[in-house]
Amino acid sequence: MSFQDDYLYRTQVIWELPEPTPPSTHKYKYRLFYGQNGKCRIRYDNERGKGDHKHINSHEIDYNFTSIDKLLDDFEKDIETWSES
């Protein structure tokens, strides 16, 4: 196995906006990403028109945003759960 064949990639970007991005009711825009071997494994985001949601592999699931701390905790828990499976 080479480095190129088995690598992990993670990025976390969070902005505080002057107004919410509809249909979200909070003032944060975020993109949390965890991938392996060039594929998205876990992603949390809140794009305009779709609101807060997460992707686990190829499944999209609504996400109930309550706070930045909870968002980051949930992201970490999903990474741990995915890594253990």
Side-chain angles (χ1 to χ4, degrees):
M1 180 181 337
S2 71
F3 177 76
Q4 290 82 9
D5 294 334
D6 189 30
Y7 66 92
L8 300 172
Y9 180 77
R10 176 184 183 142
T11 185
Q12 297 177 188
V13 180
I14 301 170
W15 301 270
E16 185 171 5
L17 305 173
E19 299 293 327
T21 300
S24 297
T25 57
H26 54 82
K27 294 183 177 184
Y28 298 101
K29 179 82 174 136
Y30 57 86
R31 179 181 70 240
L32 311 177
F33 176 90
Y34 177 80
Q36 182 181 39
N37 299 332
K39 296 182 181 175
C40 176
R41 301 303 183 190
I42 300 166
R43 186 174 83 231
Y44 282 61
D45 63 328
N46 62 331
E47 60 189 88
R48 183 176 294 276
K50 289 182 94 174
D52 303 291
H53 60 282
K54 65 181 181 176
H55 304 258
I56 306 293
N57 293 317
S58 61
H59 296 76
E60 186 174 312
I61 305 159
D62 287 342
Y63 178 71
N64 183 27
F65 179 93
T66 56
S67 71
I68 294 296
D69 287 338
K70 178 80 166 111
L71 173 72
L72 295 173
D73 286 346
D74 290 343
F75 183 57
E76 286 297 325
K77 287 177 188 171
D78 280 345
I79 290 173
E80 288 174 19
T81 300
W82 186 88
S83 297
E84 292 171 358
S85 61

